[in-house]
Amino acid sequence: MAYARWRHILMESQRHALKAVDEWNCSTGNYSDFLTHMHKAWHYLLHAEFHKAKIDYHYSDPKTGQQQLIDGEPKAWDLDRCLKERFPDNRDAVRLNGELFVALRNKVEHRYEHNLKIATGGRAQALVLNYEQEMVAHFGTEFSLADQLRFPISLQALTAEGREQLQAAAKKLPKHTRDLVAKFEAAIDPAVREDLRYDYRVRLVPIIGSKTDADLAINFVKLDELNEEERKIMVEAGRLGTVIEKIKHVEVADKDKLLPGRVASLVEEQLIFEFSVQNEHAKMWRRLGVRPVKGTADPYATNAKYCVYSEAFGAYVYTPAWVKKIVREIGTIEKYRAFFGREPRMKKVTPFPKQAGVPELGIAQQRSKSA
């Protein structure tokens, strides 16, 4: 089947976009090649849009109105002109992001490619995301590249030592390159510089808690989908540069969880008889199926409402809901007898100090009198 010309142009655009991302993700990739291929990807994408919309995207002679020719072929608009035609607002974040990379494309010095990649990484990420969104918006989801692109694995960005190396490398950029970026951005409204379509910055936070089959390794959270309190926390973390280290991960994961000894203590405070870890607690979690026995193949197979396995401590910890359930199950002498098939061990009661002229009371009498 013969395809429309715009589709052939779009396929060429996608080919360059995929090559660009391959260059970015490859450990031996070339940043100047990434810039070149993304330049072509955007160039062909906008040409495909104009062609489909029947917009003439060729230069014409201002005097005669005839198309300018190069080697007998009409001279098509360069990317800078395409961006201006597609985004007429000179404050548009997508246009400004594209124009920055048009300016950078011919300024890359091979020995400083790595440094430039670090210094402009967020803007490069925005360049790719803007490309994907522009393509889907004009040609539909069937042309999306989302299923072919992956989140790259980066050791530098995920360790404290790596972050220091990245910061040091960014400072080594040659002055004229730093000046180019600085002068370009000095003319941009601060709100646009913070726009994710101009500079896409992300913060990685480990996902903790129970996993479901629907979970993805990478989940993107949109600020406008969070409630006011969640949004405030995320924005503040972004401004302060907060990083969640492993020790914090452990504290968050086991927040409000109780060790067996603490469970027994809280339960016993609410009973008139004794409740111990070995005599009662162990028997209750076994009989009620709250957690598996020690040494099981799957230690995580717990009733998460009452108990979870703490990987950090290699032990089971319990929830306040488990304390409440224990009290409901065996909170009276009758319930204790029914559950364990024996009499509870009553708490020892300290006698009241003996007062002159007052006969000493037995335990039963004291309890009756205090009631």
Side-chain angles (χ1 to χ4, degrees):
M1 181 178 68
Y3 287 118
R5 177 164 170 73
W6 65 260
R7 189 179 182 117
H8 290 289
I9 299 173
L10 185 61
M11 292 301 100
E12 185 66 8
S13 170
Q14 290 187 332
R15 185 178 73 83
H16 282 290
L18 292 172
K19 280 186 171 292
V21 177
D22 285 344
E23 287 291 337
W24 177 278
N25 290 339
C26 180
S27 59
T28 58
N30 187 296
Y31 191 49
S32 64
D33 286 347
F34 165 82
L35 295 178
T36 297
H37 284 297
M38 277 310 301
H39 185 103
K40 291 181 177 179
W42 264 103
H43 201 185
Y44 282 120
L45 173 62
L46 295 179
H47 280 187
E49 286 184 23
F50 297 149
H51 193 90
K52 187 178 181 183
K54 294 181 171 49
I55 296 173
D56 185 5
Y57 51 95
H58 298 90
Y59 288 103
S60 58
D61 189 300
K63 294 182 180 180
T64 65
Q66 295 181 341
Q67 289 182 337
Q68 296 181 20
L69 303 179
I70 296 181
D71 297 328
E73 293 293 328
K75 181 183 177 182
W77 290 341
D78 56 26
L79 179 55
D80 196 49
R81 172 69 182 275
C82 288
L83 288 168
K84 287 178 171 61
E85 294 290 339
R86 169 63 185 88
F87 307 101
D89 183 354
N90 60 10
R91 296 166 299 176
D92 189 285
V94 177
R95 168 177 161 174
L96 289 168
N97 174 266
E99 289 178 339
L100 172 64
F101 283 99
V102 169
L104 282 173
R105 182 188 176 197
N106 298 322
K107 294 291 183 181
V108 180
E109 295 182 34
H110 291 297
R111 58 179 173 153
Y112 293 114
E113 281 186 31
H114 178 66
N115 309 70
L116 183 61
K117 180 177 181 180
I118 292 168
T120 60
R123 301 164 186 83
Q125 180 72 61
L127 183 71
V128 176
L129 288 176
N130 292 342
Y131 171 86
E132 163 76 3
Q133 292 170 0
E134 178 75 6
M135 181 166 53
V136 171
H138 282 268
F139 300 101
T141 55
E142 64 179 294
F143 292 99
S144 171
L145 296 179
D147 63 334
Q148 300 182 60
L149 303 181
R150 302 291 181 269
F151 194 89
I153 299 299
S154 172
L155 293 178
Q156 284 183 311
L158 299 180
T159 65
E161 296 79 7
R163 287 191 297 274
E164 292 176 1
Q165 291 176 8
L166 294 178
Q167 292 167 353
K171 295 177 181 178
K172 294 179 182 178
L173 270 176
K175 185 177 183 302
H176 63 269
T177 304
R178 291 200 309 269
D179 288 348
L180 186 154
V181 177
K183 290 178 180 177
F184 185 91
E185 295 191 338
I188 298 178
D189 188 293
V192 175
R193 290 201 302 269
E194 295 179 6
D195 193 315
L196 292 179
R197 295 172 300 167
Y198 177 78
D199 188 0
Y200 192 89
R201 295 168 296 167
V202 297
R203 186 166 310 285
L204 299 180
V205 179
I207 298 174
I208 60 176
S210 302
K211 185 182 185 301
T212 69
D213 292 338
D215 284 346
L216 298 174
I218 303 293
N219 290 302
F220 288 92
V221 178
K222 294 183 178 179
L223 287 179
D224 56 5
E225 293 178 353
L226 302 177
N227 61 42
E228 185 175 350
E229 182 179 356
E230 292 170 334
R231 190 182 302 113
K232 181 179 179 181
I233 292 172
M234 292 294 287
V235 170
E236 191 63 22
R239 286 178 180 153
L240 297 177
T242 304
V243 177
I244 296 182
E245 303 289 357
K246 185 175 182 181
I247 186 170
K248 296 298 184 184
H249 175 184
V250 171
E251 292 173 357
V252 172
D254 295 329
K255 185 180 180 182
D256 298 329
K257 300 301 186 296
L258 309 168
L259 291 171
R262 181 59 177 158
V263 171
S265 176
L266 291 172
V267 170
E268 195 170 77
E269 287 176 2
Q270 303 177 58
L271 306 177
I272 62 173
F273 45 82
E274 294 180 4
F275 184 90
S276 72
V277 173
Q278 297 301 325
N279 290 327
E280 284 87 14
H281 186 255
K283 291 183 176 64
M284 290 197 71
W285 64 250
R286 282 192 180 92
R287 189 177 301 180
L288 297 176
V290 170
R291 46 156 281 202
V293 297
K294 188 175 181 180
T296 185
D298 183 10
Y300 298 94
T302 67
N303 182 333
K305 181 178 180 181
Y306 303 122
C307 174
V308 295
Y309 179 71
S310 171
E311 186 175 357
F313 298 111
Y316 291 96
V317 290
Y318 302 85
T319 66
W322 174 233
V323 174
K324 294 179 181 178
K325 182 170 179 60
I326 290 175
V327 174
R328 286 198 305 270
E329 292 286 338
I330 54 95
T332 66
I333 294 176
E334 291 75 16
K335 288 183 178 180
Y336 184 100
R337 288 195 196 111
F339 191 95
F340 293 106
R342 63 172 186 264
E343 293 295 316
R345 301 177 310 285
M346 305 304 293
K347 292 179 183 178
K348 294 180 180 180
V349 180
T350 302
F352 293 117
K354 186 175 180 180
Q355 299 177 19
V358 178
E360 191 171 310
L361 300 177
I363 290 176
Q365 291 171 304
Q366 290 180 39
R367 183 176 294 118
S368 175
K369 189 172 184 65
S370 64

